Amino acid sequence: MVLKLSHSLELIEKGIASICRLLNSIGMAFLMLLMLLITADVLLRAILNRPIRGTNELSEFIMIIVVYFAIAYAQHRKAHISIDLLTSRFPKRARAMIDSFIYLLSLGICSLIAWQSFVYLKRLLDIHRVSDILKWPIAPFSLILGIGFIIFCLVLLLDLHHSLRKVIHG
C-alpha cells in the first residue's frame, strides 16, 4: 500500500513539474515578445517619431503572464530567495518543522490569492471590463493569475509533504 501511494505521489510530482515547465516556457516566450515589442517601440519612436500604440498596456499584460506563469517553476526549482542565516544552525528536524510552518502559511496565503483572483475574474466578466487604450478584456489576465497561483499552491503542497516527512522520519 505504501509503495503504491509513493508511486502515485511520484507521478503527481512529475505531472506538476511538467506543468510548471510548460507554463514557464510560455512565460519565457512572452518575455521574448515583450523584449521585441519594447525594442520596436523605442526604435519607431526614435526613428519615425511613431511609437506603438498601447505598448505600456501590452507590457503590463505580458508581465502578468511572465510572472505568474514562472512563480510555480521557481518554487519547484527552489529558486526563490531564502535567508537561512539562523535556521542553518538548527538540527534537521527543527529546520523541517520551520519549513513546514512556512509552507503551510504560504499555502494559506497563496490559496487566498488564487481564490480571490477567481472572484475578481467573475466580477470582471460581469461588468465586461476592458483596458483603457487597447480596449482588451482584462478578465483573461485574472484567470492567468489564478492558474499561476493554483499551480504554485500545488508545488507548495508537495513541498509541505516532503518537509513533514522530514519532521516525522528525521
Side-chain angles (χ1 to χ4, degrees), residues 9-10 15 27 40 55 98 102 121 135 145 154:
L9 186 62
E10 192 175 303
T55 299
I98 291 169
I102 290 170
L121 171 66
K135 304 300 180 200
L145 187 143
L154 291 174

Side-chain angles (χ1 to χ4, degrees), residues 144-161:
I144 287 168
L145 187 143
I147 290 169
F149 266 97
I150 285 174
I151 302 303
F152 185 46
C153 286
L154 291 174
V155 175
L156 286 172
L157 195 59
L158 288 173
D159 290 342
L160 176 62
H161 171 76

Side-chain angles (χ1 to χ4, degrees), residues 46-58:
I47 296 170
L48 302 174
N49 199 24
R50 307 252 327 152
I52 299 172
R53 185 174 162 267
T55 299
N56 287 342
E57 271 187 7
L58 281 171

Side-chain angles (χ1 to χ4, degrees), residues 18 21-24 30 35 46 58 68 84 86 89 94 161:
S18 296
R21 281 192 301 274
L22 173 67
L23 292 180
N24 187 59
F30 274 95
M35 291 185 317
L58 281 171
Y68 294 108
D84 60 353
L86 181 64
R89 302 176 194 281
H161 171 76

